[in-house]
Amino acid sequence: MSEHRDLVDPSLGEQLVSACRTTVGDSLRSIVYFTPDEYEQIYLRSDLEAEADLTGWVEHEAAGFRAQTAYDGTELGEYQYTLRVFENGYVTRVIDEDHGVFVTTDGITVRRSKEVTEAIGSTL
């Protein structure tokens, strides 16, 4: 897994930032676009440190590519998104075929998490 600074077309990056900011507002912390092999952080809130090592995070979230097929045919229906809850924030991950996005937020409700995944999905 490697960081690639030009992975995302600038217009797609702007659309993703706009969609996420519109949905979750000032609680948005970061946005990372990723594929099975590469990633690019396309947004980081100005009050956060840019030195975070994202490779481990992205490798873990990229495991979601397997989840797309792992849950095929279950009575629960089609896999939609993942919400992870931490002491000081949340991670919402959306995967669409061979690319995905995860956003981190200060606070988010399940309803708002679903709204941001729908906004990301319509942008991807």
Side-chain angles (χ1 to χ4, degrees), residues 8 22 25 28 46 54 66 117:
V8 179
T22 298
L28 181 65
S46 62
L54 291 176
R66 290 189 303 275
T117 63

Side-chain angles (χ1 to χ4, degrees), residues 15-124:
Q15 291 172 5
L16 286 167
V17 170
S18 177
C20 293
R21 292 270 305 148
T22 298
T23 306
V24 297
D26 291 338
S27 72
L28 181 65
R29 297 172 63 93
S30 67
I31 303 171
V32 176
Y33 176 95
F34 62 99
T35 69
D37 302 312
E38 301 175 305
Y39 68 92
E40 180 180 359
Q41 184 171 49
I42 59 173
Y43 174 81
L44 180 65
R45 198 171 65 201
S46 62
D47 65 324
L48 300 173
E49 294 184 27
E51 289 82 34
D53 179 16
L54 291 176
T55 302
W57 279 78
V58 177
E59 286 175 351
H60 184 75
E61 295 306 329
F65 289 111
R66 290 189 303 275
Q68 287 181 297
T69 58
Y71 300 116
D72 281 350
T74 70
E75 293 178 3
L76 294 174
E78 186 177 328
Y79 171 80
Q80 295 181 2
Y81 70 96
T82 299
L83 173 63
R84 299 186 195 290
V85 179
F86 294 87
E87 181 179 2
N88 296 316
Y90 301 82
V91 176
T92 303
R93 178 191 69 208
V94 179
I95 292 182
D96 183 24
E97 296 183 21
D98 63 347
H99 54 261
V101 172
F102 69 84
V103 299
T104 61
T105 57
D106 289 329
I108 198 166
T109 63
V110 172
R111 178 178 165 192
R112 187 63 46 131
S113 179
K114 184 165 180 59
E115 290 172 359
V116 77
T117 63
E118 291 169 351
I120 292 168
S122 67
T123 303
L124 291 178

